Amino acid sequence: MTNKILIINFEEIYLKGKNQNIFIKQLVRNLKRKLANYKAYLSFSKAHGGSYFIEIVKEIPDDVLQEIIFKVKNTPGITGFYVADTTGVSMEEIVEKSVAHAQQYIDEFESFAVIAKRINKSVPFSSLDIARRVGSEIHEKLGKKVDLTHPDFKLHIKVRGKYTLIYSKIIPGIGGLPVGTSGKAIAMLSGGIDSPAATFMAMNRGLHITAAHFHSVPKTSPQSIEKVKMLVKKLTDFQGQIKLYLIPVLDIQQAIAKHTDSRLRLILLRRIMLQIGEKLATIEKAKALVTGDSLGQVASQTLENMKATEEATDMLVIRPLVALDKKFIIETAQKIGTYKISILPHDDACSLFTPKSPETKAQLKYVKEQYAKLDIENLINEALQKAETVLITDTDNIPESLS
Ligand code: ATP
Ligand code: MG
């Protein structure tokens, strides 16, 4: 016997007209993957209008239910969901379960309203009968008052075919679109605050992400890589599993340092990163690159520099943060849980490589001249040959602090 049902809402997807089915199918696929470990408890049913039901088919320990709630809450495409109690379709069962349901929230409300709906018309009572009976029981047993206009607490009762759904508090989801419905992209992930936030935003607009991190080990510490894995692990809260490319760029940095104008170092390195990203995109069938650039945030993130950087690739470069305030970016990073990892002190490939006076208004012609001094083809191929990949999943045991 089903004892709870998650009623999942997805307004934005629902509004997508004839594409609706594609979105719902992808959402269900994503949910099934994220909830694979809890399969024994769950039954995935069909979509009902703007909602989707997941039934909990057997007695479930509260901590397991909380884990499931966490997974659902963080699945892009879901605007919110209810954890409904279920019972049979007799008035006695409905009244008893409704009072028990309201009792769980007893400290959170004074006034309430019962919103009853009878979809199964064969029961011998009306929606109004349900609302009246349940209303007076809650009033008597829990000492709360009915207020139909501005209630603190709304109790929904839906009598369906063979069972009744009883639910009240909506748990907000993160909204957006199901991962995968917008295609694939390669996210350039440093250990900083910005790129994980940008990656999350891209996922939340339906992009399936493969992450790429460039490192300078042994010049940078191996912990800098652990840190990126921790960030990726956090991001698997939203996309159940993420492939991470780890690409060594020390040789490239040395070549840049040796052959080119030091003021352009970072721009030249970024150009190579984008070109490598483009190669990875071909391998992964991705159609865009995602970066954490934000206009004017550091002296080097100017229009001139962004242009001089992205000119190296024909790929679409998506910058979800480009016009966002630092404060908003930090709040986003805090909300998704990457902030506290990003601020762990660890060196990254770029900070060790920053010249004393970096160019802030790069001239494209000069950048291309300097770039031409490098044996790009070879440098890229060697880096790719030495690249490693790790598949990180939301069930991996990756610690949340560095040793
Ligand atoms: P972040 O906070 O993401 O590190 P930032 O504000 O430090 O960004 P930059 O260092 O100028 O900005 O980097 C701009 C973008 O370039 C980053 O957001 C990221 O997408 C990409 N990038 C920089 N360094 C790396 C790296 N080592 N590996 C992968 N991507 C990188
Ligand atoms: Mg950085």
Side-chain angles (χ1 to χ4, degrees):
M1 161 74 190
T2 298
N3 54 30
K4 283 190 195 305
I5 292 185
L6 306 192
I7 307 173
I8 294 172
N9 293 349
F10 36 77
E11 263 161 78
E12 185 171 6
I13 310 177
Y14 192 50
L15 294 175
K16 292 244 162 209
K18 65 183 190 322
N19 288 336
Q20 201 194 99
N21 276 343
I22 300 170
F23 286 81
I24 294 173
K25 268 196 186 142
Q26 185 68 49
L27 176 67
V28 172
R29 218 177 288 144
N30 295 349
L31 274 170
K32 283 186 177 166
R33 221 217 63 75
K34 286 181 91 178
L35 297 173
N37 280 355
Y38 309 96
K39 234 175 22 212
Y41 293 104
L42 306 175
S43 157
F44 294 82
S45 68
K46 289 210 182 76
H48 303 257
S51 304
Y52 179 76
F53 286 8
I54 300 177
E55 295 179 26
I56 295 173
V57 291
K58 61 179 194 185
E59 210 54 54
I60 190 165
D62 193 54
D63 54 333
V64 179
L65 179 62
Q66 292 312 318
E67 285 169 27
I68 292 173
I69 289 175
F70 179 81
K71 300 270 177 200
V72 175
K73 211 174 147 61
N74 288 314
T75 300
I78 293 174
T79 51
F81 62 102
Y82 297 98
V83 182
D85 283 316
T86 62
T87 188
V89 295
S90 72
M91 184 63 97
E92 286 64 41
E93 289 169 304
I94 294 171
V95 170
E96 190 195 327
K97 201 64 168 217
S98 298
V99 175
H101 183 96
Q103 176 111 41
Q104 299 173 60
Y105 302 97
I106 191 153
D107 297 331
E108 296 175 33
F109 71 100
E110 284 313 319
S111 61
F112 73 100
V114 177
I115 299 139
K117 198 167 170 190
R118 194 185 50 139
I119 294 160
N120 174 354
K121 304 278 184 212
S122 68
V123 294
F125 43 80
S126 69
S127 303
L128 194 61
D129 294 335
I130 305 172
R132 284 202 181 120
R133 270 290 303 279
V134 172
S136 68
E137 291 280 331
I138 292 178
H139 172 67
E140 270 170 36
K141 299 222 163 90
L142 307 183
K144 308 290 184 182
K145 68 172 192 298
V146 175
D147 178 348
L148 297 181
T149 44
H150 299 290
D152 302 336
F153 184 76
K154 284 186 193 165
L155 183 73
H156 298 264
I157 301 175
K158 264 193 192 143
V159 186
R160 302 184 67 90
K162 292 196 174 72
Y163 61 90
T164 301
L165 291 173
I166 298 162
Y167 54 96
S168 53
K169 292 258 158 144
I170 192 153
I171 302 175
I174 49 167
L177 299 171
V179 168
T181 52
S182 300
K184 294 184 175 178
I186 306 291
M188 319 290 271
L189 201 66
S190 70
I193 294 167
D194 299 335
S195 40
T199 304
F200 162 73
M201 287 181 180
M203 279 174 181
N204 209 34
R205 289 317 296 170
L207 285 170
H208 181 277
I209 292 296
T210 298
H213 174 69
F214 300 90
H215 66 82
S216 320
V217 174
K219 229 354 193 254
T220 49
S221 66
Q223 280 101 320
S224 63
I225 291 181
E226 291 316 303
K227 182 177 168 182
V228 171
K229 288 185 184 167
M230 285 157 60
L231 287 168
V232 172
K233 167 77 196 321
K234 256 286 154 243
L235 292 167
T236 63
D237 283 347
F238 313 101
Q239 175 184 308
Q241 60 178 34
I242 299 174
K243 184 171 176 183
L244 166 65
Y245 280 86
L246 295 165
I247 305 128
V249 286
L250 195 53
D251 292 346
I252 295 176
Q253 288 173 309
Q254 277 159 356
I256 293 174
K258 192 161 166 205
H259 300 294
T260 66
D261 180 343
S262 69
R263 286 166 57 83
L264 295 184
R265 274 181 182 182
L266 280 182
I267 293 173
L268 299 177
L269 179 61
R270 288 282 147 72
R271 283 175 67 101
I272 296 198
M273 286 181 180
L274 291 185
Q275 285 202 302
I276 294 178
E278 183 174 331
K279 299 264 187 207
L280 300 180
T282 310
I283 299 170
E284 298 296 332
K285 301 192 172 59
K287 294 203 179 72
L289 305 176
V290 176
T291 75
D293 295 305
S294 177
L295 190 57
Q297 197 189 98
V298 289
S300 60
Q301 285 174 359
T302 59
L303 291 182
E304 289 82 356
N305 285 13
M306 284 189 209
K307 181 68 201 161
T309 306
E310 81 170 19
E311 194 271 343
T313 176
D314 289 332
M315 288 227 101
L316 173 63
V317 180
I318 297 179
R319 301 179 172 88
L321 311 182
V322 77
L324 297 178
D325 215 62
K326 187 74 190 181
K327 182 167 174 278
F328 182 82
I329 298 170
I330 288 177
E331 281 165 8
T332 303
Q334 284 167 334
K335 184 182 86 179
I336 62 173
T338 53
Y339 183 76
K340 61 180 193 295
I341 303 169
S342 292
I343 58 173
L344 294 172
H346 270 281
D347 42 10
D348 74 17
C350 296
S351 52
L352 290 184
F353 193 62
T354 309
K356 278 204 196 75
S357 53
E359 181 58 80
T360 56
K361 291 198 169 165
Q363 298 300 310
L364 186 55
K365 189 162 162 279
Y366 184 52
V367 170
K368 285 167 86 170
E369 254 172 56
Q370 292 294 307
Y371 203 56
K373 292 182 168 184
L374 300 164
D375 184 359
I376 301 295
E377 197 53 38
N378 248 328
L379 288 171
I380 289 180
N381 285 339
E382 277 173 22
L384 279 172
Q385 264 162 27
K386 291 186 202 145
E388 291 169 47
T389 61
V390 234
L391 185 67
I392 297 183
T393 72
D394 53 353
T395 50
D396 281 348
N397 198 3
I398 291 179
E400 292 219 354
S401 63
L402 290 169
S403 50

